């Protein structure tokens, strides 16, 4: 159950939602989250994510499997870009399916907290002041900590 896709290419969130939702006669809820690259008021002209294909999918897959068990999911799909991403383009999409809405929402939130703070990506923002590496913020760390208690 579940799938993780890494891609260099832009993706269509609406099309992915339609594909993921199709034929789910026993699923009561599908929740999604789509993350979009921000321009940060002109401070970021591009976002660059480095990943190790194979390893990165496997690690995210372990977390998706943990979420599926923890929240009784029927299915989960994580799509994540890597490479160079322009402001306004989708970076990540998490889709969760379950019998009930609460589990679908919570699983989506749980997976995004993991992706923001622990997934094996290296993130660099490019802008007028040159490139800079981005680390998880204190808020990101606080968000993931609430699931670990």
């Amino acid at each position: 159950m579940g799938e993780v896709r890494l891609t260099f290419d832009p993706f269509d969130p609406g099309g992915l939602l339609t594909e993921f939702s199709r034929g789910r006669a026993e699923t009561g809820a599908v929740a999604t989250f789509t993350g979009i690259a921000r321009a940060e008021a002109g401070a970021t002209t591009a976002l660059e994510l480095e990943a190790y294909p194979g390893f990165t999918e496997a690690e995210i897959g372990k977390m998706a499997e943990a979420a599926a068990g923890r929240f009784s999911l029927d299915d989960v799909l994580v799509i994540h870009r890597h490479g160079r991403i322009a402001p306004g383009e989708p970076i990540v999409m998490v889709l969760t399916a379950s019998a009930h809405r609460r589990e679908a929402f919570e699983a989506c939130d749980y997976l995004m907290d993991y992706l923001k703070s622990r997934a094996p990506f290296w993130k660099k923002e490019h802008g007028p002041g040159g490139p800079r590496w981005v680390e998880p913020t204190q808020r990101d760390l606080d968000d993931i900590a609430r699931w670990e208690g």
Side-chain angles (χ1 to χ4, degrees):
M1 176 210 328
E3 182 181 359
V4 174
R5 299 179 198 167
L6 286 186
T7 180
F8 282 106
D9 301 319
F11 57 83
D12 172 24
L16 289 165
L17 174 58
T18 298
E19 174 190 325
F20 186 78
S21 299
R22 186 174 293 122
R24 295 195 179 274
E26 298 301 321
T27 295
V30 170
T32 69
F33 174 85
T34 304
I36 300 170
R38 291 186 302 261
E40 303 288 352
T44 301
T45 56
L47 179 64
E48 184 178 356
L49 276 87
E50 294 180 16
Y52 291 108
F55 173 75
T56 299
E57 292 102 327
E59 290 301 304
I60 295 170
K62 289 177 193 174
M63 187 54 61
E65 190 173 313
R70 181 175 184 158
F71 300 102
S72 301
L73 297 180
D74 297 336
D75 202 359
V76 59
L77 173 60
V78 177
I79 296 116
H80 210 299
R81 298 269 309 273
H82 62 117
R84 204 168 179 96
I85 303 162
E89 291 183 343
I91 302 168
V92 60
M93 187 171 188
V94 174
L95 302 99
T96 58
S98 67
H100 304 285
R101 68 182 165 82
R102 178 84 49 229
E103 290 83 358
F105 280 130
E106 288 180 348
C108 204
D109 194 25
Y110 173 80
L111 285 166
M112 277 311 306
D113 285 344
Y114 164 76
L115 290 167
K116 282 285 291 178
S117 61
R118 301 260 168 85
F121 288 103
W122 294 265
K123 184 171 153 182
K124 189 187 303 181
E125 291 178 344
H126 296 271
R132 67 178 186 89
W133 290 101
V134 179
E135 296 294 329
T137 66
Q138 186 59 52
R139 181 176 182 173
D140 295 332
L141 299 174
D142 291 345
D143 286 345
I144 193 72
R146 69 193 169 112
W147 301 106
E148 296 170 346

